[in-house]
Amino acid sequence: DTAVSQTPKYLVTQMGNDKSIKCEQNLGHDTMYWYKQDSKKFLKIMFSYNNKELIINETVPNRFSPKSPDKAHLNLHINSLELGDSAVYFCASSQGGGSYTFGSGTRLTVV
Amino acid sequence: AQSVTQPDIHITVSEGASLELRCNYSYGATPYLFWYVQSPGQGLQLLLKYFSGDTLVQGIKGFEAEFKRSQSSFNLRKPSVHWSDAAEYFCAVGAGSYDKVIFGPGTSLSVIP
């Protein structure tokens, strides 16, 4: 039973399209995150939700909008996709203390 | 603001050899420190963490790390590397009230049979 699951695993789309990535965790954790990993493997935090409340919102274009319908789910919607959005997006969850459980990632390719 | 540096972009070791991956952090107070590993095509997995107490921390897969406050370092070690240890290794520092973890740039480990 996967602890943090993301869908889809791969996403190829054209510039200008809108797409969503879904994340679900079954660990009962209160906090969920979105990280972006670029082509050089650099990981940058984008958003964090604690029990459905947005608590971290880094400098991310407002084309990116997270939504947390409940504390087990955190989705990421991206409007007007650009070439520079191509990356691997990781969802993670935590029960505090910085020990994260990561999903396996969504590789987004914008063409 | 906190930050993490990993001086080695890529390291190659022979199977059975010892390993040390370097990590330096910048943070004003006592940090939370972590090492994560990312196998190809996978998410990150927590190897070990340091919050307080004993400065030598044991983790999974035979890894250990030592916190040295005077050097602002948290180096990862393994006495004998296995081919399956080939992966990307990330050092990370956590601080603040919202469990925000900042990752270093990563060190890619290759293992020669």
Side-chain angles (χ1 to χ4, degrees):
Chain A
D1 208 17
T2 305
V4 180
S5 59
Q6 295 179 229
T7 54
K9 191 169 176 65
Y10 299 97
L11 188 52
V12 181
T13 187
Q14 290 186 325
M15 283 175 55
N17 284 352
D18 304 338
K19 290 294 179 185
S20 292
I21 306 171
K22 296 186 176 182
C23 179
E24 176 181 4
Q25 55 100 359
N26 62 7
L27 298 167
H29 289 168
D30 287 333
T31 310
M32 296 184 72
Y33 307 81
W34 280 111
Y35 275 82
K36 178 181 180 181
Q37 185 173 48
D38 63 22
S39 58
K40 296 185 178 174
K41 303 282 181 127
F42 185 71
L43 277 157
K44 182 172 167 51
I45 190 168
M46 300 174 69
F47 302 103
S48 174
Y49 271 75
N50 181 272
N51 205 7
K52 300 194 296 178
E53 180 184 350
L54 181 65
I55 56 171
I56 295 175
N57 186 350
E58 293 293 294
T59 309
V60 177
N62 58 16
R63 299 181 293 104
F64 290 78
S65 53
K67 282 191 172 55
S68 181
D70 55 61
K71 78 172 193 177
H73 295 85
L74 179 61
N75 303 324
L76 183 65
H77 187 76
I78 315 170
N79 290 326
S80 304
L81 278 154
E82 301 176 357
L83 293 176
D85 298 331
S86 295
V88 180
Y89 292 85
F90 284 102
C91 177
S93 72
S94 169
Q95 194 50 33
S99 298
Y100 290 2
T101 301
F102 278 84
S104 58
T106 296
R107 182 174 294 276
L108 171 65
T109 303
V110 182
V111 297
Chain B
Q2 62 268 35
S3 65
V4 181
T5 56
Q6 294 178 247
D8 304 305
I9 296 173
H10 185 249
I11 284 181
T12 300
V13 299
S14 298
E15 192 168 16
S18 63
L19 172 70
E20 182 168 21
L21 301 182
R22 296 182 291 164
C23 171
N24 293 97
Y25 68 90
S26 173
Y27 184 61
T30 300
Y32 299 165
L33 294 163
F34 309 87
W35 275 98
Y36 283 83
V37 61
Q38 183 180 24
S39 297
Q42 301 296 315
L44 283 77
Q45 181 184 22
L46 180 66
L47 282 176
L48 47 79
K49 60 188 177 187
Y50 171 79
F51 286 177
S52 64
D54 193 347
T55 56
L56 186 61
V57 180
Q58 301 298 318
I60 63 171
K61 305 186 182 194
F63 286 93
E64 66 177 26
E66 187 171 12
F67 170 59
K68 293 185 177 180
R69 184 187 300 276
S70 62
Q71 299 176 19
S72 297
S73 69
F74 188 57
N75 294 349
L76 182 71
R77 299 192 293 250
K78 187 170 185 177
S80 177
V81 171
H82 188 262
W83 64 265
S84 60
D85 292 324
E88 192 83 18
Y89 290 80
F90 293 92
C91 183
V93 61
S97 59
Y98 295 128
D99 294 331
K100 178 179 171 181
V101 173
I102 305 298
F103 287 85
T107 296
S108 178
L109 175 66
S110 297
V111 180
I112 301 172

